[in-house]
């Protein structure tokens, strides 16, 4: 089953007008990229209860001035882009979180912190990466705490999965000695904002009005192939598709399996994007009125250069599609008992502008229900016919 949190298309698309608080500290619509300062910090977390602590004491003393000690752990600064007066404040905040057991290994935690920086209050993502131990070693509880700061708490929460993935990619490169700190770790941490947050903005900037083709491909599960571009652009497009797709929102495993099977039987034609031209050219491009209605919202978000706003618009786009899917399923149930409900269902599919995608998903979800499949077939035929025009308007 799908869940919905929007009430109408206008409510969901007019993010700026509907949520005036976004103009303040929630997402910061008025901010532009050059006005968003981003910071990072990385610490070595060491349990003083473990035997391994004695082996690393000499290394820890090298940075004793940057180490915060508690009853059962120490926190040692390895590197930070924060101003000198702000970093101890962050370290104190992290120590409190660790003391309360609020940082779990491999799981990011996002909150608002107040530091001695121009923004004063910023969103802070913290993640504890535990040190991997061999089977013959006892778990010593050591690891690294990585923090990303910038934007707002609500804004960073929109990119939690991307931030988790970005941090976890460091797992194999971290060692207690940190010999690769300057050559590998530091450059990687410096790019957290560009790599984890800015990909949606880059895609919208690249495709402009053609972003509707990508939105339709995401909703209809159409494979997308990008040619004539660098790996970063290919990765950006793939991540945009994943963020816009509704796959994974179907709670029943059987429904998910049925959907994937039906879509593979349909053998959709790949959407080809050639980035060797400017602007990029498309082959097998398909869109509909629903996706086209969202173009201006994305372009406005890109013009404001605010990736958090763009992600919120994308989430609202998905929520509206989910709401329409819920409505269609309700209409189909009613149509099994009423011809009038069947007519209303057809009218709804025409008015929403997303009838092709909704019927595709409905056909997959109801594949095992004979009566529902018959209704969907009638609806497909209804949509393929031109709408009737009243005589007075001819």
């Amino acid at each position: 089953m799908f869940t919905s949190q929007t009430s109408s298309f206008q409510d969901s698309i007019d993010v700026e007008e509907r949520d005036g608080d976004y103009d303040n500290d929630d997402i910061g619509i008025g901010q532009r990229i050059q006005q968003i300062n981003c910071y990072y910090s990385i610490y070595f977390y060491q349990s003083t209860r473990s035997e391994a602590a004695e082996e690393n004491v000499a290394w820890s003393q090298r940075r004793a001035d940057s180490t915060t000690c508690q009853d059962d752990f120490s926190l040692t600064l390895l590197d930070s882009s924060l101003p000198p007066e702000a970093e101890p404040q962050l370290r104190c905040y992290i120590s409190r979180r660790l003391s309360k057991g609020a940082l779990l290994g491999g799981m990011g935690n996002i909150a608002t912190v107040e530091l001695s920086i121009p923004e004063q209050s910023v969103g802070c993502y913290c993640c504890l990466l535990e040190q991997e131990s061999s089977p013959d070693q006892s778990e010593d509880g050591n690891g690294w705490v990585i923090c990303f700061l910038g934007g707002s708490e609500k804004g960073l929460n929109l990119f939690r999965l991307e931030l988790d993935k970005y941090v976890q990619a460091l797992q194999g490169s971290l060692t207690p000695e940190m010999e690769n700190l300057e050559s590998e770790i530091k450059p990687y941490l410096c790019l957290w904002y560009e790599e984890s947050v800015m990909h949606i903005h880059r895609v919208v900037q690249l495709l402009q009005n053609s972003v509707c083709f990508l939105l339709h491909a995401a909703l209809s599960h159409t494979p997308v192939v990008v040619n004539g571009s660098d790996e970063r652009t290919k990765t950006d497009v793939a991540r945009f598709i994943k963020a816009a797709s509704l796959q994974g929102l179907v709670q029943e495993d059987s429904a998910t399996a049925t959907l994937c099977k039906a879509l593979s039987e349909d053998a959709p034609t790949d959407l080809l994007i050639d980035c060797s031209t400017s602007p990029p050219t498309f082959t097998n491009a398909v869109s509909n009125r629903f996706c086209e209605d969202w173009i201006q919202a994305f372009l406005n978000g890109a013009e404001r250069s605010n990736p958090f706003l763009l992600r919120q618009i994308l989430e609202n786009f998905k929520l509206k599609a989910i709401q329409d899917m819920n409505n269609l399923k309700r209409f189909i149930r009613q149509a099994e008992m009423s011809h009038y409900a069947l007519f209303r269902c057809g009218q709804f599919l025409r008015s929403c502008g997303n009838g092709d995608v909704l019927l595709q998903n409905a056909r997959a979800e109801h594949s095992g229900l004979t009566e529902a499949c018959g209704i969907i077939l009638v609806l497909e035929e209804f949509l393929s016919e031109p709408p009737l025009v009243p005589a007075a308007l001819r």
Side-chain angles (χ1 to χ4, degrees), residues 8 14 24 34 57 60 73 79 128-129 133 138 171 203 222 238 253 261-262 270 272 276 281 304 307 361 373 384 390:
S8 70
D14 290 341
N24 299 319
Q34 58 266 32
V57 66
S60 296
F73 72 87
D79 192 54
L128 170 63
L129 291 180
S133 58
S138 60
Q171 185 76 63
V203 169
T222 300
D253 294 336
K261 180 180 178 181
D270 293 359
L272 306 179
S276 62
T281 55
R304 292 186 177 214
N361 284 274
C373 287
S384 65

Side-chain angles (χ1 to χ4, degrees), residues 27-40:
I27 293 184
I29 286 179
Q31 296 178 353
R32 295 184 179 274
I33 291 176
Q34 58 266 32
Q35 296 175 337
I36 297 179
N37 295 320
C38 303
Y39 311 92
Y40 72 86

Side-chain angles (χ1 to χ4, degrees), residues 36-41 43 80-82 86 90 93-94 111 113-115 117 122-126 146-152 156 192-193:
I36 297 179
N37 295 320
C38 303
Y39 311 92
Y40 72 86
S41 285
Y43 304 88
S80 177
S81 63
L82 282 167
L90 175 64
Y93 163 77
I94 298 171
V113 296
E114 295 186 1
L115 305 175
I117 54 178
V122 294
C124 176
Y125 169 93
C126 292
I146 299 172
C147 299
F148 297 141
L149 303 97
S152 66
L156 291 184
W192 76 266
Y193 186 76

Side-chain angles (χ1 to χ4, degrees), residues 45 73 75 94-103 128 145:
Y45 169 81
F73 72 87
L75 197 61
I94 298 171
S95 296
R96 292 198 302 268
R97 303 293 291 176
L98 288 169
S99 298
K100 297 177 181 179
L103 291 183
L128 170 63
V145 177

